[in-house]
Amino acid sequence: MANITLKGKPVHTIGNLPAKGTLAPNFKFIKADLSEAQLSDYSGKSIVLNIFPSIETSTCSASVRQFNARAQNLKNTVVLCISMDLPFTHNRFCGAEGLKDVITASVFRSPDFGKKYGVIITDGPFTGLMSRSVV
């Protein structure tokens, strides 16, 4: 269980992020265009996972903007921006912001993602959502 803070107050997650040097667990997700994909689809590329509670919060949306800006200069790299938000929300946000260099990944149909990556928040006001993490 990881100890994190939310507005300076301690909260916990269901587990810990995968250990450095281990193979990232595969998972399925829904892209903004409603197609299904999985992590293994990007085999052979460097993959950055930007995990967050909701694209609707200011900090999370800022992280997606920042990763989009940086992804433009990364060769052979895929940046997946992952939350439980519906694909419609991801599509609306990225369309309004003109973001095209990240792939949004809704895991609303993949409850095992949060368990595999140890990022489900177990207490506090965001219980059930995922903690902000970069893998």
Side-chain angles (χ1 to χ4, degrees):
M1 173 180 309
N3 297 313
I4 58 175
T5 60
L6 178 63
K7 296 187 177 184
K9 296 183 180 177
V11 293
H12 304 91
T13 63
I14 197 167
N16 294 301
L17 292 170
K20 183 178 179 178
T22 62
L23 185 62
N26 196 33
F27 62 94
K28 291 182 180 180
F29 59 92
I30 307 299
K31 295 168 40 175
D33 67 1
L34 301 180
S35 65
E36 186 175 275
Q38 56 187 334
L39 184 64
S40 61
D41 293 343
Y42 303 98
S43 180
K45 296 185 179 220
S46 295
I47 303 169
V48 177
L49 306 181
N50 173 28
I51 306 164
F52 49 89
S54 175
I55 206 163
E56 297 286 353
T57 68
S58 60
T59 302
C60 299
S61 59
S63 78
V64 174
R65 284 186 208 99
Q66 186 62 235
F67 274 103
N68 185 76
R70 292 178 182 217
Q72 296 172 9
N73 300 316
L74 299 174
K75 303 273 189 239
N76 198 38
T77 301
V78 173
V79 178
L80 300 177
C81 292
I82 305 166
S83 75
M84 292 178 68
D85 292 309
L86 294 176
F88 310 111
T89 304
H90 287 166
N91 192 36
R92 180 186 49 76
F93 175 81
C94 289
E97 297 283 331
L99 307 181
K100 297 179 180 168
D101 294 308
V102 294
I103 298 169
T104 55
S106 174
V107 291
F108 81 102
R109 288 189 195 154
S110 303
D112 61 328
F113 171 81
K115 292 176 186 172
K116 286 179 181 180
Y117 282 80
V119 294
I120 298 173
I121 298 171
T122 60
D123 54 9
F126 282 10
T127 298
L129 293 176
M130 294 182 296
S131 67
R132 207 171 354 270
S133 311
V134 177
V135 178

